[in-house]
Amino acid sequence: MIAENMVGMVKNSSVIRQMFEEGNRLAKLYGAENVYDFSLGNPNVPAPAEVNAAIKEIVDSEESTFIHGYMSNAGYEDVREAIAQSLNKRFDTHFNLTNIVMTVGAAGGLNSILRTILNPGEEVMTFAPFFGEYRNYVANFGGKLVVVPPNTVDFQPKLDEFEKMITPKTKAVIVNNPNNPTGVVYSEETIKKLAAIMESKQKEFGTEIFLIADEPYRELAYDGVEVPYLTKYYDNTVVGYSYSKSLSLPGDRIGYLVIPDEVADAEDMKAAASVATRILGFVNAPSLMQRVVAKCLDAKVNVEAYDKNRTALYNGLKDLGFECIKPEGAFYLFVKSPVEDEKVFCEVAKKHNILIVPGSTFGCAGYVRMAYCVSYETIVNSLPHFAEVAKELGL
Ligand code: PLP
C-alpha cells in the first residue's frame, strides 16, 4: 500500500506529463509530423556547441576521479566561485562561492530551499497563473500553498490582493520571472511594489518572509526586455536558477541557488541548504554538469529561434481570432479559451492532433498554455488545424 498522501498525487499526476505521453501515442498513430504537440516545455533548440565541446574536453582530461567523484554537498568550490563572479559581472552584485549552492535543476533548488525554511503548517504564496509543481514542492514539507488569483488584464501579479492575503504564517513568496505559463515578464515597477509590501509586512508581523525567485527562463527574454534581478530589491531573496532552458539541458539536471549574505541568518541558511540538498537524496548536483556549466557561463542558446516561433504562433492565432497577450519571455503563449471551459477547447484541439494544456493546471481556468519550443514547421503547419478548431468553437 502506498502512502496515503501519494494516492491523490498519483491520481492528479501532472496533466502536462500525461499530454506528453498522449503526444507520443498520437505520433505513433499519425506520424510525428502530423501531431502538433505544444504540451511540454522541453526545449527543441539544441544546447550550444560549447556544451558538447566542454563535455568532451572534461572527459578527455585524465582526472576521472575528479570528474565523477563526490564533492562538498554545495558543489565544487571553483565552479561556485566562477558562477558568483559571472553574476557579479552581469548584475553588479557581490556574491562569492559561499553564496552559491549547486542544485539538481530548479526543481532540486526549490525543494532544497523549501526544506531549509519551511515548518509544517507555514504558508508559501504565489501568483496565478503559476507552475503547478509548486503545489507538490510545498506539500513535500508540510507547507500550504496560498495562491493569489490571476490578473487576466496583463498577468502582472495582483498586488492589492496579495497585500490582503499575506499573513503572519507566510514564510515565503515564489515569483517566477519570466513566467510559465504566460510568458509575461514582471516589471521592475511590479517587483519594487512587491518588495515594499513584503518589507512592511515583515515589520508589521515581526517575521521573516523570503522571496524565492524561480528563474529557469531568465535568459529567454525578447525585444530587449529587462528581467529585474531580485536580490537587488529585497534582502531576504533567494534565487533558484537552472540551465534546463537557458542551455537546453533539462535532462542533465543542473542549476544553483543564490543565498546572498543579506538574507536573515545567511550563514545558517547556506549551511542548511547544503544539508537539505544532501538529505533530500540529491547528495550533490551532477558532478560532470557542474564542470560543464562553469565552462559555458557565457554560452547562449539560439533565442532567436524561440522569438521567431513566438511571433509566428502569436500572429497566426490572433489572425484566427484567438485572444492572447504577446509574451515577452520564456517559450509559452497563454491563450484565452473561446469557450468557457478550456478543457473543451483542449479536447477539440486534440481531435485535430493539437496538444495544449488547460489553464486550470496553472490555477487559471478559461485559458490554455501552448509551449512553442517546437520546430518552426510545427507552428506553421499547425495553423490550418487551429483554423479548424476556431471554426468548430464558433470563433
Ligand atoms: N520552475 C518553472 C517555472 C518551470 O517551468 C520549471 C520547468 O519547466 C521548473 C521550475 C523546473 O525546472 P528544472 O528542469 O530546472 O528542474
Side-chain angles (χ1 to χ4, degrees):
M1 178 77 178
I2 62 170
E4 281 160 32
N5 67 7
M6 281 304 290
V7 177
M9 290 210 185
V10 173
K11 210 162 130 214
N12 303 323
S13 170
S14 172
V15 175
I16 302 173
R17 284 279 161 177
Q18 285 165 22
M19 289 251 174
F20 182 60
E21 303 303 340
E22 180 68 5
N24 289 340
R25 192 185 71 82
L26 292 176
K28 278 193 198 119
L29 277 179
Y30 302 108
E33 69 285 6
N34 298 314
V35 177
Y36 311 101
D37 187 351
F38 297 99
S39 61
L40 193 66
N42 203 7
N44 70 309
V45 167
E50 289 96 317
V51 169
N52 283 346
I55 293 173
K56 287 185 190 132
E57 195 186 319
I58 296 164
V59 296
D60 285 346
S61 77
E62 302 213 344
E63 303 158 89
S64 89
T65 347
F66 167 74
I67 299 167
H68 301 297
Y70 290 128
M71 80 300 300
S72 313
N73 300 138
Y76 285 116
E77 293 197 348
D78 58 337
V79 170
R80 290 155 61 208
E81 184 62 29
I83 289 172
Q85 293 315 325
S86 157
L87 292 172
N88 294 345
K89 203 165 76 188
R90 287 182 63 191
F91 304 116
D92 196 21
T93 46
H94 50 273
F95 304 130
N96 61 53
L97 70 100
T98 70
N99 302 112
I100 310 293
V101 177
M102 300 306 293
T103 64
V104 178
L110 290 172
N111 275 278
S112 291
I113 197 63
L114 290 170
R115 178 72 179 84
T116 298
I117 60 174
L118 270 189
N119 295 300
E122 287 179 334
E123 295 175 355
V124 176
M125 297 184 75
T126 198
F127 300 93
F130 65 100
F131 180 53
E133 290 288 272
Y134 294 161
R135 293 188 189 99
N136 300 323
Y137 299 168
V138 170
N140 280 344
F141 309 107
K144 183 177 163 214
L145 188 72
V146 175
V147 179
V148 179
N151 151 18
T152 53
V153 178
D154 58 9
F155 291 104
Q156 295 283 324
K158 258 192 178 167
L159 294 178
D160 46 351
E161 290 284 324
F162 169 70
E163 194 165 5
K164 283 185 220 147
M165 291 171 73
I166 192 167
T167 77
K169 280 194 175 166
T170 307
K171 192 58 171 285
V173 178
I174 306 180
V175 162
N176 168 219
N177 204 24
N179 184 261
N180 172 10
T182 62
V184 162
V185 173
Y186 295 170
S187 64
E188 183 177 44
E189 190 193 340
T190 298
I191 298 302
K192 280 184 172 161
K193 282 189 193 151
L194 174 72
I197 295 171
M198 290 177 65
E199 288 288 0
S200 103
K201 290 293 172 183
Q202 286 195 132
K203 282 204 189 91
E204 181 185 333
F205 301 146
T207 57
E208 278 148 11
I209 309 172
F210 298 99
L211 180 59
I212 302 176
D214 180 23
E215 302 204 333
Y217 303 99
R218 161 162 290 281
E219 320 310 339
L220 309 185
Y222 312 108
D223 303 330
V225 69
E226 290 285 326
V227 183
Y229 202 74
L230 299 199
T231 62
K232 299 171 81 165
Y233 299 87
Y234 183 72
D235 281 352
N236 271 337
T237 297
V238 174
V239 178
Y241 185 83
S242 164
Y243 294 93
S244 293
K245 321 285 165 152
S246 63
L247 290 183
S248 292
L249 298 174
D252 288 322
R253 315 303 306 133
I254 185 75
Y256 59 82
L257 288 171
V258 183
I259 304 175
D261 288 333
E262 289 76 9
V263 166
D265 303 320
E267 293 312 311
D268 286 350
M269 287 276 279
K270 293 182 214 172
S274 303
V275 172
T277 297
R278 187 181 85 231
I279 65 178
L280 288 173
F282 304 124
V283 180
N284 55 252
S287 168
L288 174 62
M289 294 318 294
Q290 290 191 43
R291 295 250 152 257
V292 170
V293 297
K295 284 184 179 286
C296 296
L297 292 172
D298 296 319
K300 289 191 169 54
V301 288
N302 181 3
V303 178
E304 291 75 30
Y306 292 134
D307 194 4
K308 189 172 162 198
N309 286 358
R310 171 181 79 123
T311 306
L313 189 62
Y314 173 79
N315 289 346
L317 292 180
K318 288 289 270 189
D319 288 348
L320 292 171
F322 289 99
E323 265 181 60
C324 51
I325 53 164
K326 193 166 186 182
E328 293 181 304
F331 40 47
Y332 305 106
L333 196 65
F334 207 53
V335 181
K336 191 168 179 3
S337 171
V339 285
E340 199 180 326
D341 183 354
E342 86 274 11
K343 292 194 180 109
V344 172
F345 180 20
C346 296
E347 280 307 312
V348 172
K350 198 159 88 183
K351 281 201 311 194
H352 295 270
N353 283 357
I354 297 173
L355 297 176
I356 52 183
V357 184
S360 39
T361 313
F362 308 97
C364 188
Y367 287 78
V368 298
R369 188 193 78 173
M370 301 182 191
Y372 57 80
C373 45
V374 296
S375 74
Y376 183 67
E377 290 66 41
T378 299
I379 292 184
V380 172
N381 295 338
S382 72
L383 290 173
H385 299 272
F386 272 115
E388 296 286 322
V389 175
K391 204 157 84 191
E392 201 168 324
L393 294 175
L395 261 189

